[in-house]
Amino acid sequence: MPDDELQRINAFLAGFARLRAERTVELPGGFAVFDDRFAGSWSNNQVVVDGTDTDPAALPGLVDEVMGERPFRVAAVLDGEFGLACVEPFRRAGYRHSTYLVMLHTSPVPAADGGAVEEVDLEALRLPLAASWRAVLPDAGEDVVRQLVDRREACRRGAEDVRFLGARARDGAVAAWADLYLEPARGIAQIEDLMTAEAHRRRGHADAVLAAALRRAAAAGCGTRFLIAESDDWPRDWYARRGFEVIGHSHGFERT
C-alpha cells in the first residue's frame, strides 16, 4: 500500500508542477517548468524528474542547458531510489543536495475544536507572507519577495480545488496559514507551506490550520492526505506527532 500511495503522490506532484507552470519543456526522464512572472522563484523555474529511464550522469548537463541564462539551477527528483543515483553526478557538478520526506497522514482526522480557521485570499496573506520571506531570505530584494508572495496565485491552476487557509489572531491578523490542494476525483490532497508568523508562534495557530486542512480534505473525499517535509529540519517531528508517517523520499539539487 505505501508504494501505491507513493506512486499516486508522485504523479500528483508532477501534474501539479505542470499545471501551475506558465510553460513546460519536455526532457528525457522529466520536464522543466518556467514562469517568467516569478523569475526569482526556484519552485516555479526548475527541472522535475518524474521518471527513472534516463542516465543520472547526464542530468546536470540537461539542467544547465534547459535553464539557460537563469542565475540558479534547480532539479527535483521524485523517485527516492533513482534520486540516490543522481547525488554523485550533481555533487560533481557543484550542486547542493537536499532530501525531502513524503509524509502520509495515517491517524484519525482531528475532530473540530472550535478553532477559528477560514479560507483567506492572497491579500490577507500578503503582509505576513512578505515578513516571513524577509526573515528567511534577508538578502533578497523587494522584487524577489513580491514574486514569492504573488506566485501563490499560480498555485490555483495546479489542482482541481485550491484553498488558502488561515487562522487569525485576536487583532484580526492572519497568524498561521497553509495551502490545501485537493483532487477529489483522485482522492488525494496535499497540505503545503504551513507557516506561522513569528509574533504568533507557540499559541496553537498552526495546529488549528493543520487540523482544519485535514478535516476539509477528508470532507472532500480525499483519503490520501500528505505533505512534504525537509529530512533534516524540526517540522518532520512535529508532523509525526500529529499522525504523519514517512512513506518515501524525494531529492532536490540546487546551484547558484
Side-chain angles (χ1 to χ4, degrees):
M1 181 64 73
D3 288 344
D4 291 341
E5 291 280 45
L6 190 57
Q7 289 178 8
R8 295 178 65 240
I9 287 169
N10 285 344
F12 173 89
L13 291 170
F16 187 96
R18 285 183 179 276
L19 290 170
R20 180 181 63 172
E22 185 179 52
R23 59 188 176 91
T24 61
V25 177
E26 298 303 316
L27 299 171
F31 55 95
V33 295
F34 297 107
D35 196 325
D36 293 334
R37 297 169 301 171
F38 313 119
S41 169
W42 291 10
S43 67
N44 293 83
N45 299 273
Q46 65 170 325
V47 170
V48 179
V49 180
D50 61 344
T52 60
D53 56 350
T54 191
D55 180 4
L59 281 174
L62 285 173
V63 175
D64 276 346
E65 181 179 355
V66 75
M67 295 201 71
E69 297 180 357
R70 283 172 174 75
F72 55 84
R73 303 284 186 263
V74 183
V77 181
L78 299 184
D79 185 274
E81 292 302 315
F82 182 71
L84 289 175
C86 298
V87 171
E88 185 57 24
F90 274 107
R91 186 194 66 78
R92 288 197 302 267
Y95 283 75
R96 296 184 300 275
H97 169 234
S98 300
T99 302
Y100 299 94
L101 309 177
V102 180
M103 302 189 73
L104 182 71
H105 190 249
T106 57
S107 295
V109 175
D113 61 1
V117 176
E118 61 189 78
E119 292 188 37
V120 295
D121 59 20
L122 181 59
E123 290 310 307
L125 291 172
R126 187 171 297 281
L127 287 178
L129 268 175
S132 294
W133 279 118
R134 291 188 189 102
V136 172
L137 301 173
D139 296 329
E142 284 303 303
D143 185 56
V144 171
V145 171
R146 178 191 57 77
Q147 291 179 36
L148 293 173
V149 173
D150 288 347
R151 71 178 185 177
R152 224 170 183 98
E153 278 298 338
C155 293
R156 293 194 182 277
R157 300 196 303 263
E160 179 183 341
D161 185 354
V162 172
R163 308 179 191 182
F164 304 151
L165 304 179
R168 294 188 183 271
R170 290 183 178 179
D171 62 2
V174 177
W177 58 91
D179 293 2
L180 178 60
Y181 309 143
L182 301 164
E183 287 282 357
R186 297 158 64 185
I188 190 167
Q190 180 184 8
I191 299 166
E192 177 69 2
D193 283 342
L194 176 60
M195 301 178 71
T196 304
E198 185 173 2
H200 300 291
R201 290 174 182 169
R202 302 185 184 278
R203 300 179 187 178
H205 295 300
D207 262 312
V209 172
L210 180 61
L214 290 168
R215 288 194 297 271
R216 283 166 166 80
C222 297
T224 299
R225 300 176 290 273
F226 78 97
L227 53 79
I228 306 296
E230 295 185 37
S231 66
D232 58 355
D233 205 358
W234 66 265
R236 61 169 294 177
D237 299 319
W238 190 87
Y239 291 127
R241 293 193 297 271
R242 286 151 181 82
F244 285 85
E245 178 183 342
V246 176
I247 64 166
H249 303 77
S250 64
H251 299 267
F253 302 94
E254 303 166 355
R255 191 183 75 197
T256 54

